[in-house]
Amino acid sequence: MMVDITCCVAAAFFIVSNLFKILGEVTFRKRSHFNYQSMKELDPAYIQEEWEFRSDHRGSVLLVGGLNALAWLCFTIPVLQLSWILSRGGRRKIGIHITMAVLVLAGSFSEFLAWMFAVGTFSVSDWISRDFNLDNWLGGDENDMVGWRVLEVSHLVLRGLHMWIDAFEWLAMFGILVLVHISIKTQTSCHAFKLRWTRIGLAIAGLSILDFAADVLRLQSWRFFSTFANFTSALNTLVLLPIWLITLGRQLPAAVPNYVETEEDEFVNKVESAQEAQEILEDIV
């Protein structure tokens, strides 16, 4: 049986990116110098250690974002195909299928935007921490370390902005999979896609909205909601989403001929109806 290659590649990228993300989270949580109270007090000694750690692990953090952006890029292609096939070439439930296409394009764009934003801000911040004077800004005899505090506050603010851009992917995923289910459930012909497959999508959609909610609530309890978000994200991208994509990849090659045959049958029926009408008119005349 043929399988659409873009679905397989997207599934692979989602799995690999999330595995690297989990490894990164484990590494960050095990750093020996972490102290929550020192972080809240903006202790300069703690901040310096934190930036040394971030500098050492910058590549892995940016790699995760790049892999996730590539996963969304590959995910966009089969979803656009699916939207076109289910809409029967733009003639069925146009609003639903245009929204589906817009959401997947917006999700892919936001992931690339978030990744490029992270590359720029993280690289410049790391450069400042290594090469700029952050020890003495007030000109006194002793180092005031104001620069380190300013750098850390700026980093936290930009990280929050990046987190909100990144969280949009789960809203987009929720919308896409719910619309896929609605479209397939309401179709009356060309049943190339199985309804039970869309129920996996609904489970992913439910976890996606929970992941988004956890991202929003992280400021209330960072450790709890971060752990919850990581768990739902891992379940989605390591298990359910790859299953959904591989199943879609197995159905897409067969769906295209069915769609073409349906279009041809409709065209033939219209021609035959026109011929019959003309024959009736000729008989009447």
Side-chain angles (χ1 to χ4, degrees), residues 163-232:
M163 184 177 70
W164 274 99
I165 297 173
D166 205 34
F168 175 74
E169 70 170 305
W170 297 116
L171 278 181
M173 187 72 73
F174 170 80
I176 292 163
L177 297 176
V178 168
L179 292 176
V180 168
H181 175 76
I182 293 171
S183 177
I184 292 176
K185 189 175 183 179
T186 57
Q187 65 182 354
T188 56
S189 62
C190 189
H191 297 279
F193 300 99
K194 295 177 174 59
L195 186 60
R196 63 174 178 270
W197 161 70
T198 67
R199 296 192 181 109
I200 301 174
L202 288 180
I204 299 170
L207 289 174
S208 297
I209 205 68
L210 288 177
D211 201 326
F212 176 78
D215 283 339
V216 172
L217 294 171
R218 283 190 190 196
L219 296 180
Q220 302 300 318
S221 176
W222 185 270
R223 182 172 291 274
F224 173 77
F225 285 110
S226 292
T227 302
F228 182 79
N230 290 334
F231 171 75
T232 55

Side-chain angles (χ1 to χ4, degrees), residues 24-72:
E25 287 285 341
V26 171
T27 303
F28 267 78
R29 292 199 175 196
K30 286 187 175 181
R31 61 194 191 278
S32 58
H33 67 273
F34 178 75
N35 185 292
Y36 184 70
Q37 194 61 34
S38 297
M39 182 187 74
K40 289 185 69 177
E41 292 178 357
L42 294 174
D43 179 60
Y46 166 79
I47 293 172
Q48 285 178 296
E49 286 188 89
E50 187 75 350
W51 274 102
E52 288 178 8
F53 183 86
R54 289 169 184 162
S55 181
D56 292 338
H57 296 83
R58 182 183 64 169
S60 60
V61 173
L62 298 180
L63 176 64
V64 170
L67 289 173
N68 199 47
L70 287 173
W72 265 89

Side-chain angles (χ1 to χ4, degrees), residues 58-224:
R58 182 183 64 169
S60 60
V61 173
L62 298 180
L63 176 64
V64 170
L67 289 173
N68 199 47
L70 287 173
W72 265 89
L73 179 64
C74 295
F75 179 66
T76 299
I77 299 171
V79 171
L80 289 177
Q81 285 183 277
L82 177 64
S83 175
W84 181 255
I85 292 169
L86 291 176
S87 71
R88 296 173 66 184
R91 293 184 300 153
R92 173 182 174 268
K93 295 186 180 298
I94 298 174
I96 287 178
H97 299 104
I98 288 178
T99 304
M100 194 189 305
V102 168
L103 282 174
V104 74
L105 290 170
S108 180
F109 176 75
S110 70
E111 278 304 303
F112 266 100
L113 180 65
W115 177 61
M116 293 174 68
F117 183 79
V119 170
T121 56
F122 206 170
S123 299
V124 172
S125 298
D126 181 51
W127 174 48
I128 291 172
S129 72
R130 289 183 286 105
D131 295 346
F132 281 59
N133 169 32
L134 301 175
D135 298 334
N136 193 328
W137 281 18
L138 302 180
D141 295 333
E142 296 183 0
N143 291 333
D144 51 67
M145 299 295 184
V146 173
W148 288 104
R149 292 185 171 98
V150 171
L151 177 64
E152 184 66 10
V153 170
S154 300
H155 173 75
L156 290 174
V157 171
L158 292 172
R159 184 181 176 189
L161 178 60
H162 172 263
M163 184 177 70
W164 274 99
I165 297 173
D166 205 34
F168 175 74
E169 70 170 305
W170 297 116
L171 278 181
M173 187 72 73
F174 170 80
I176 292 163
L177 297 176
V178 168
L179 292 176
V180 168
H181 175 76
I182 293 171
S183 177
I184 292 176
K185 189 175 183 179
T186 57
Q187 65 182 354
T188 56
S189 62
C190 189
H191 297 279
F193 300 99
K194 295 177 174 59
L195 186 60
R196 63 174 178 270
W197 161 70
T198 67
R199 296 192 181 109
I200 301 174
L202 288 180
I204 299 170
L207 289 174
S208 297
I209 205 68
L210 288 177
D211 201 326
F212 176 78
D215 283 339
V216 172
L217 294 171
R218 283 190 190 196
L219 296 180
Q220 302 300 318
S221 176
W222 185 270
R223 182 172 291 274
F224 173 77

Side-chain angles (χ1 to χ4, degrees), residues 250-262:
R250 295 176 64 184
Q251 296 177 96
L252 266 181
V256 174
N258 285 343
Y259 165 72
V260 173
E261 288 170 10
T262 302

